Amino acid sequence: RSKEQTDPFLLAILRNNPGSIQAEIARRAAAKPIDCQVTELIEDCGDNMGIQSKEDLRQYIHRIVTINWIEDLEDLSLIEDRHWEAWAIPEKLVAQVKDKAEKNKPPRSARRDCGCSMS
């Protein structure tokens, strides 16, 4: 069975929105996740949690990085608790990711400015 057929999160996307962009991404989710800051951070958290196989983390990386386009460390601040829960990310992994993201957050002056008129 392919990965999208075994991951309940991806199955729900395919079932509820079969023609959507998310469904197409879910179909391709068996592929290796892109290399980015968030992928690296999650893999590092997995190492700290004693998860030996990157394969065990792949479904969570796809839910965060591939499907929701959270690629930079500062993007993690966009994720609210309701998102973590809806994406079915284990609480222990969420706590590790939040902690590491906070510690690795760039200083305010180094962050990208969105360019909008509202601050």
Side-chain angles (χ1 to χ4, degrees):
R1 295 181 92 180
S2 66
K3 191 64 164 177
E4 74 271 5
Q5 293 173 331
T6 59
D7 182 349
F9 183 81
L10 297 179
L11 274 174
I13 291 173
L14 291 168
R15 184 175 48 252
N16 298 332
N17 303 301
S20 68
I21 292 171
Q22 291 88 350
E24 182 58 30
I25 292 170
R27 282 185 200 89
R28 297 170 186 247
K32 181 182 181 290
I34 66 166
D35 289 326
C36 66
Q37 292 176 335
V38 174
T39 296
E40 187 176 309
L41 180 80
I42 294 170
E43 288 176 348
D44 188 43
C45 289
D47 291 342
N48 291 341
M49 293 170 55
I51 298 173
Q52 300 296 320
S53 171
K54 304 287 186 225
E55 190 65 33
D56 294 338
L57 294 171
R58 182 176 284 190
Q59 65 181 328
Y60 306 122
I61 293 170
H62 277 303
R63 292 175 195 185
I64 298 166
V65 175
T66 309
I67 294 173
N68 291 288
W69 301 348
I70 305 293
E71 299 175 4
D72 297 324
L73 291 180
E74 57 199 63
D75 294 343
L76 290 167
S77 67
L78 301 171
I79 304 174
E80 299 176 4
D81 289 337
R82 64 187 174 92
H83 297 120
W84 294 112
E85 187 175 318
W87 300 340
I89 309 298
E91 288 182 38
K92 189 172 181 181
L93 181 58
V94 171
Q96 285 265 334
V97 168
K98 285 181 175 182
D99 183 56
K100 284 193 168 291
E102 186 62 32
K103 289 177 182 173
N104 293 310
K105 186 168 38 175
R108 179 74 180 138
S109 61
R111 292 187 207 159
R112 292 182 300 204
D113 188 9
C114 68
C116 67
S117 60
M118 301 177 75
S119 298

Short mmCIF file of all heavy atoms in Angstrom, two decimals, residues 1-16 26 59-60 63 86-88:
data_model
loop_
_atom_site.label_atom_id
_atom_site.label_comp_id
_atom_site.label_asym_id
_atom_site.label_seq_id
_atom_site.Cartn_x
_atom_site.Cartn_y
_atom_site.Cartn_z
N ARG A 1 0.84 -1.19 0.00
CA ARG A 1 0.00 0.00 0.00
C ARG A 1 0.87 1.25 0.00
O ARG A 1 1.89 1.30 0.67
CB ARG A 1 -0.88 0.02 1.23
CG ARG A 1 -1.89 -1.11 1.29
CD ARG A 1 -2.73 -0.99 2.51
NE ARG A 1 -3.91 -0.22 2.17
CZ ARG A 1 -4.86 0.07 3.03
NH1 ARG A 1 -4.76 -0.29 4.28
NH2 ARG A 1 -5.91 0.77 2.66
N SER A 2 0.42 2.25 -0.70
CA SER A 2 1.19 3.49 -0.72
C SER A 2 0.93 4.26 0.57
O SER A 2 -0.03 4.01 1.30
CB SER A 2 0.82 4.33 -1.93
OG SER A 2 -0.52 4.77 -1.83
N LYS A 3 1.80 5.23 0.84
CA LYS A 3 1.74 5.99 2.09
C LYS A 3 0.40 6.70 2.26
O LYS A 3 -0.18 6.71 3.32
CB LYS A 3 2.89 6.99 2.13
CG LYS A 3 3.08 7.64 3.47
CD LYS A 3 3.46 6.62 4.48
CE LYS A 3 4.03 7.28 5.71
NZ LYS A 3 4.34 6.32 6.72
N GLU A 4 -0.14 7.29 1.18
CA GLU A 4 -1.40 8.01 1.32
C GLU A 4 -2.56 7.07 1.64
O GLU A 4 -3.57 7.48 2.15
CB GLU A 4 -1.71 8.88 0.09
CG GLU A 4 -2.17 8.13 -1.14
CD GLU A 4 -1.03 7.71 -2.03
OE1 GLU A 4 0.14 7.90 -1.67
OE2 GLU A 4 -1.31 7.16 -3.11
N GLN A 5 -2.41 5.78 1.36
CA GLN A 5 -3.46 4.82 1.67
C GLN A 5 -3.38 4.35 3.11
O GLN A 5 -4.33 3.75 3.60
CB GLN A 5 -3.38 3.63 0.73
CG GLN A 5 -3.71 3.99 -0.71
CD GLN A 5 -3.47 2.83 -1.65
OE1 GLN A 5 -2.61 2.00 -1.41
NE2 GLN A 5 -4.22 2.80 -2.73
N THR A 6 -2.30 4.60 3.82
CA THR A 6 -2.16 4.14 5.18
C THR A 6 -2.19 5.26 6.21
O THR A 6 -2.46 5.01 7.38
CB THR A 6 -0.85 3.35 5.37
OG1 THR A 6 0.24 4.20 5.02
CG2 THR A 6 -0.84 2.11 4.50
N ASP A 7 -1.93 6.48 5.84
CA ASP A 7 -1.96 7.61 6.76
C ASP A 7 -3.38 8.15 6.84
O ASP A 7 -3.91 8.66 5.86
CB ASP A 7 -0.99 8.69 6.27
CG ASP A 7 -0.91 9.88 7.22
OD1 ASP A 7 -1.74 9.99 8.14
OD2 ASP A 7 -0.02 10.72 7.01
N PRO A 8 -4.04 8.04 8.01
CA PRO A 8 -5.43 8.47 8.12
C PRO A 8 -5.63 9.95 7.80
O PRO A 8 -6.67 10.34 7.27
CB PRO A 8 -5.80 8.17 9.58
CG PRO A 8 -4.58 7.71 10.25
CD PRO A 8 -3.51 7.49 9.23
N PHE A 9 -4.64 10.78 8.10
CA PHE A 9 -4.74 12.20 7.79
C PHE A 9 -4.81 12.42 6.28
O PHE A 9 -5.67 13.14 5.78
CB PHE A 9 -3.53 12.93 8.38
CG PHE A 9 -3.57 14.42 8.18
CD1 PHE A 9 -4.32 15.22 9.02
CD2 PHE A 9 -2.85 15.02 7.16
CE1 PHE A 9 -4.36 16.59 8.85
CE2 PHE A 9 -2.88 16.38 6.98
CZ PHE A 9 -3.64 17.17 7.84
N LEU A 10 -3.93 11.74 5.54
CA LEU A 10 -3.93 11.87 4.08
C LEU A 10 -5.17 11.23 3.48
O LEU A 10 -5.73 11.75 2.51
CB LEU A 10 -2.66 11.26 3.50
CG LEU A 10 -1.34 11.93 3.92
CD1 LEU A 10 -0.16 11.21 3.30
CD2 LEU A 10 -1.33 13.40 3.60
N LEU A 11 -5.63 10.12 4.05
CA LEU A 11 -6.86 9.48 3.57
C LEU A 11 -8.05 10.43 3.67
O LEU A 11 -8.88 10.49 2.76
CB LEU A 11 -7.15 8.22 4.39
CG LEU A 11 -6.49 6.94 3.93
CD1 LEU A 11 -6.76 5.82 4.93
CD2 LEU A 11 -6.98 6.54 2.56
N ALA A 12 -8.13 11.16 4.77
CA ALA A 12 -9.24 12.11 4.95
C ALA A 12 -9.21 13.21 3.91
O ALA A 12 -10.25 13.60 3.37
CB ALA A 12 -9.19 12.70 6.36
N ILE A 13 -8.03 13.70 3.58
CA ILE A 13 -7.90 14.72 2.54
C ILE A 13 -8.38 14.16 1.20
O ILE A 13 -9.14 14.80 0.49
CB ILE A 13 -6.44 15.22 2.42
CG1 ILE A 13 -6.07 16.03 3.65
CG2 ILE A 13 -6.26 16.06 1.16
CD1 ILE A 13 -4.60 16.42 3.71
N LEU A 14 -7.93 12.97 0.87
CA LEU A 14 -8.31 12.35 -0.40
C LEU A 14 -9.81 12.10 -0.47
O LEU A 14 -10.44 12.29 -1.51
CB LEU A 14 -7.54 11.04 -0.60
CG LEU A 14 -6.05 11.20 -0.85
CD1 LEU A 14 -5.36 9.85 -0.73
CD2 LEU A 14 -5.78 11.82 -2.20
N ARG A 15 -10.39 11.69 0.65
CA ARG A 15 -11.82 11.37 0.68
C ARG A 15 -12.68 12.64 0.64
O ARG A 15 -13.67 12.70 -0.08
CB ARG A 15 -12.13 10.56 1.94
CG ARG A 15 -13.54 10.06 2.06
CD ARG A 15 -13.76 9.15 3.27
NE ARG A 15 -13.21 9.69 4.52
CZ ARG A 15 -12.13 9.21 5.14
NH1 ARG A 15 -11.47 8.18 4.65
NH2 ARG A 15 -11.69 9.75 6.26
N ASN A 16 -12.29 13.66 1.40
CA ASN A 16 -13.12 14.85 1.54
C ASN A 16 -12.94 15.88 0.43
O ASN A 16 -13.85 16.66 0.17
CB ASN A 16 -12.86 15.51 2.90
CG ASN A 16 -13.23 14.61 4.05
OD1 ASN A 16 -14.11 13.77 3.93
ND2 ASN A 16 -12.56 14.78 5.17
N ALA A 26 -1.26 15.11 -1.31
CA ALA A 26 -1.37 13.89 -0.51
C ALA A 26 -1.01 12.66 -1.33
O ALA A 26 -0.38 11.73 -0.84
CB ALA A 26 -2.77 13.77 0.08
N GLN A 59 5.36 11.16 7.86
CA GLN A 59 3.96 11.57 7.78
C GLN A 59 3.73 12.93 8.44
O GLN A 59 2.97 13.76 7.95
CB GLN A 59 3.04 10.52 8.38
CG GLN A 59 3.22 10.30 9.87
CD GLN A 59 2.31 9.23 10.41
OE1 GLN A 59 1.21 9.05 9.93
NE2 GLN A 59 2.79 8.51 11.42
N TYR A 60 4.43 13.19 9.55
CA TYR A 60 4.27 14.46 10.24
C TYR A 60 4.92 15.59 9.46
O TYR A 60 4.39 16.71 9.40
CB TYR A 60 4.82 14.37 11.66
CG TYR A 60 4.20 13.23 12.43
CD1 TYR A 60 4.99 12.23 12.98
CD2 TYR A 60 2.82 13.13 12.58
CE1 TYR A 60 4.42 11.17 13.67
CE2 TYR A 60 2.25 12.06 13.25
CZ TYR A 60 3.06 11.09 13.80
OH TYR A 60 2.49 10.04 14.47
N ARG A 63 2.62 16.51 6.69
CA ARG A 63 1.45 17.26 7.16
C ARG A 63 1.79 18.73 7.40
O ARG A 63 0.97 19.60 7.13
CB ARG A 63 0.92 16.65 8.46
CG ARG A 63 0.32 15.29 8.26
CD ARG A 63 -0.09 14.66 9.56
NE ARG A 63 -0.34 13.24 9.38
CZ ARG A 63 -0.80 12.46 10.33
NH1 ARG A 63 -1.06 12.94 11.52
NH2 ARG A 63 -1.01 11.18 10.09
N ALA A 86 -5.55 19.37 14.69
CA ALA A 86 -6.22 18.95 13.45
C ALA A 86 -5.30 18.12 12.57
O ALA A 86 -5.75 17.20 11.88
CB ALA A 86 -6.71 20.18 12.68
N TRP A 87 -4.00 18.41 12.61
CA TRP A 87 -3.03 17.67 11.80
C TRP A 87 -2.57 16.39 12.49
O TRP A 87 -1.75 15.65 11.94
CB TRP A 87 -1.82 18.55 11.47
CG TRP A 87 -2.17 19.80 10.71
CD1 TRP A 87 -3.30 20.04 9.98
CD2 TRP A 87 -1.38 20.98 10.63
NE1 TRP A 87 -3.25 21.31 9.45
CE2 TRP A 87 -2.08 21.91 9.83
CE3 TRP A 87 -0.14 21.35 11.15
CZ2 TRP A 87 -1.59 23.18 9.54
CZ3 TRP A 87 0.35 22.61 10.87
CH2 TRP A 87 -0.36 23.52 10.07
N ALA A 88 -3.09 16.14 13.69
CA ALA A 88 -2.79 14.93 14.45
C ALA A 88 -1.29 14.72 14.68
O ALA A 88 -0.76 13.64 14.51
CB ALA A 88 -3.41 13.71 13.78
#
